[in-house]
Amino acid sequence: MSGDVTVLPHHGVTAEELLARLAEAQEADLPVRGGKVTAYVYDTGRPEVHEAGAAAYAGMLEVNMLDPTAFPSMVALEKDVVRAVAAELGQPDAPGIFTSGGTESIMLAVKAARDAAATDRPQMVVPVTAHPAFHKAGHYLGVEVVAVPVDLTTFTVDPVAVEAAITDRTVLVVVSAPSYPQGVIDPVAEVAAVAAARGVPCHVDACVGGWLLPWLREAGAEVPPFDLSVPGVTSISCDLHKFGYAPKGASVLLFKDAALRRAAYFASAAWPGYTIINATVQSSRSAGPLGGAWGTLHALGREGYIDLGRATLEATRRIAEGVAKIPGLRVLGDPQAALVAVAGSPEVDVFVLADEARRRGWFLQPQLSYAGIPANLHITVTGVTLERVEAMLAVIAESAEAARERGPATVPEGLPELIASLNLDELDDPTFVELAASVGIDLTSRDQPEMAAVNAVLDALPAKTREAILVRFLSVIYG
């Protein structure tokens, strides 16, 4: 195959051959099991649980969630999953929607708030640490994003600053539990109270923490109130394909009441075809992810999740303490969930450290600097991490020392200014590839590139220019 998917064959290919080709295509992929990849994938360390989720996924694969009257099984499973999530997030009878992921849950929360408010020029107030899905929702739905800075020590948003940002055009206020970048929980109760006093809905983005924080609390962690039990909180999103450990494509959006959920729905009767009523952004969609989530939840049960909570809590503590002992590194904030952000120093460049760790078989996720928050490496701690904590810390320490010896990634003098001055829309993809090659970045190579230089260049650019470059990069790699 030489890495490329071939064109459609004249004759069908056997399942055995297809699986062989698939395995070849995946040879350069990061491993999805084992705990050496600290982003994107979530591993319980219990193969039987993942197998149960996969089997339930396959069992619902061909069920179409477009029409709930045609497939009652999907209604039964969705109700079961939503009730399970609602029972842990402060309101057992909360109405909800099963979605494809955090971005879709956020999109629907923003739509519901916008439509319920019926304001001509809607705005939403979010911390700068809020997930980019809110910016995406604002872009798609015509809702202006008003970003509020966070404290540069705690990395949480200030309720006073949120209150100052609210106007008569504000349709939604957002907080995170926790925010992804540093794993800290915004002051949900205080911000929700501010929003309620102004008559504005408050959404809690608990996509990453919604199905983790309850189990951490059960395992002994101090978790502040963050869910629908908090006065003023009107909706909350919770991904099950993160710390629910379900196959990808599984999230739940809960609402305080059914009226707000109805505002998330879409119906159209303005055509002569079949009835259109959608609970999500999608119309036709497989019930496979729903089956996978349902199967995983039942395969683990409450005790299974509490055990995983204990493991992630202990692993997070040991990672934070271990990193603090490595010269040139420090943990940002006080991680309240299984997310740790590690900043470097003038002597230890975190982008170089990430490349060195990748050479040693470990993936640590680089995060660029923004709004006064320094560049750092993000570590997502999952159920399998605890058994590999010492190995991870050893690799981080060894990679930090290698980064110290190599020195920081260098940005060619004047390059950020040159890139910022270009009109990237006027460059075709081949010209963009040449531009990247001129500064030593080969976008056509199939080998894993040195990302330190790439990240250093991006880090030196304003956000809008970063975005433009990333769009061009995506265009190039898909050809």
Side-chain angles (χ1 to χ4, degrees):
M1 253 177 59
S2 70
D4 289 325
V5 176
T6 58
V7 295
L8 190 67
H10 290 292
H11 302 288
V13 177
T14 65
E16 184 179 19
E17 172 64 16
L18 285 174
L19 292 175
R21 293 184 186 183
L22 185 60
E24 185 181 348
Q26 292 177 317
E27 285 177 356
D29 287 1
L30 292 169
V32 298
R33 296 283 176 264
K36 288 188 174 183
V37 176
T38 65
Y40 311 128
V41 294
Y42 293 77
D43 186 4
T44 63
R46 305 178 187 185
E48 70 280 4
V49 171
H50 297 285
E51 289 167 6
Y57 190 114
M60 294 292 286
L61 183 64
E62 295 184 67
V63 171
N64 189 346
M65 295 186 73
L66 174 63
D67 186 349
T69 68
F71 302 102
S73 64
M74 58 150 279
V75 178
L77 264 61
E78 179 160 351
K79 283 183 174 181
D80 192 60
V81 169
V82 168
R83 278 195 298 262
V85 174
E88 302 299 335
L89 294 184
Q91 186 179 322
D93 62 345
I97 303 171
F98 182 85
T99 77
S100 65
T103 293
E104 188 173 30
S105 288
I106 287 167
M107 190 84 66
L108 292 171
V110 174
K111 177 194 179 297
R114 183 200 67 178
D115 290 2
T119 302
D120 289 339
R121 294 182 298 140
Q123 296 176 325
M124 59 177 155
V125 176
V126 310
V128 294
T129 49
H131 196 278
F134 290 99
H135 295 266
K136 189 175 186 178
H139 177 72
Y140 284 2
L141 298 170
V143 179
E144 180 187 351
V145 176
V146 179
V148 176
V150 297
D151 182 276
L152 295 181
T153 300
T154 65
F155 303 100
T156 59
V157 74
D158 181 359
V160 175
V162 171
E163 184 173 23
I166 295 174
T167 72
D168 57 3
R169 294 167 51 199
T170 304
V171 301
L172 186 65
V173 166
V174 173
V175 282
S176 303
S179 59
Y180 183 86
Q182 283 78 46
V184 297
I185 301 171
D186 284 323
V188 174
E190 293 87 342
V191 172
V194 164
R198 299 288 293 272
V200 177
C202 178
H203 177 78
V204 177
D205 174 17
C207 286
V208 71
W211 205 246
L212 171 68
L213 294 175
W215 316 116
L216 294 184
R217 183 185 283 137
E218 294 254 11
E222 292 186 12
V223 177
F226 71 93
D227 55 24
L228 287 173
S229 66
V230 176
V233 171
T234 54
S235 58
I236 184 169
S237 48
C238 168
D239 287 2
L240 296 177
H241 60 209
K242 292 188 172 74
F243 288 100
Y245 298 99
K248 291 297 182 188
S251 179
V252 169
L253 171 62
L254 298 176
F255 293 97
K256 190 71 176 176
D257 58 58
L260 194 55
R261 179 177 65 171
R262 288 194 296 272
Y265 290 164
F266 173 82
S268 179
W271 84 314
Y274 62 89
T275 303
I276 293 290
I277 171 64
N278 300 142
T280 68
V281 175
Q282 303 170 80
S283 289
S284 284
R285 54 184 175 129
S286 170
L290 172 62
W294 176 83
T296 305
L297 290 177
H298 286 273
L300 273 165
R302 295 192 87 257
E303 284 303 318
Y305 282 112
I306 292 170
D307 287 344
L308 289 168
R310 291 192 187 100
T312 55
L313 186 64
E314 173 64 13
T316 303
R317 180 189 66 79
R318 288 168 60 177
I319 290 169
E321 291 177 354
V323 165
K325 297 175 182 177
I326 299 174
L329 300 182
R330 63 189 174 95
V331 173
L332 296 179
D334 180 16
Q336 294 167 286
L339 308 171
V340 181
V342 179
S345 60
E347 297 78 31
V348 178
D349 184 328
V350 288
F351 298 145
V352 177
L353 192 161
D355 279 352
E356 291 292 337
R358 184 72 179 263
R359 283 199 189 89
R360 292 161 174 79
W362 288 74
F363 178 83
L364 307 176
Q365 186 180 47
Q367 298 189 136
L368 303 180
S369 63
Y370 185 71
I373 302 171
N376 59 86
L377 298 178
H378 186 276
I379 298 170
T380 298
V381 180
T382 69
V384 77
T385 306
L386 183 58
E387 62 190 60
R388 289 182 170 271
V389 165
E390 297 309 320
M392 178 189 293
L393 289 171
V395 165
I396 293 174
E398 186 179 321
S399 300
E401 184 56 34
R404 188 190 305 276
E405 292 176 3
R406 282 178 54 183
T410 57
V411 177
E413 186 175 354
L415 180 62
E417 293 78 10
L418 172 62
I419 293 174
S421 70
L422 295 174
N423 184 346
L424 293 173
D425 290 335
E426 293 181 351
L427 302 180
D428 59 19
D429 285 348
T431 305
F432 181 75
V433 169
E434 290 179 8
L435 175 64
S438 70
V439 294
I441 301 170
D442 185 359
L443 297 178
T444 63
S445 173
R446 295 188 182 279
D447 297 327
Q448 170 62 28
E450 286 279 337
M451 291 301 298
V454 175
N455 285 322
V457 171
L458 288 172
D459 201 57
L461 295 169
K464 286 296 181 185
T465 308
R466 292 176 186 173
E467 292 166 1
I469 287 176
L470 292 171
V471 167
R472 299 311 302 271
F473 171 71
L474 197 63
S475 180
V476 167
I477 64 171
Y478 278 104

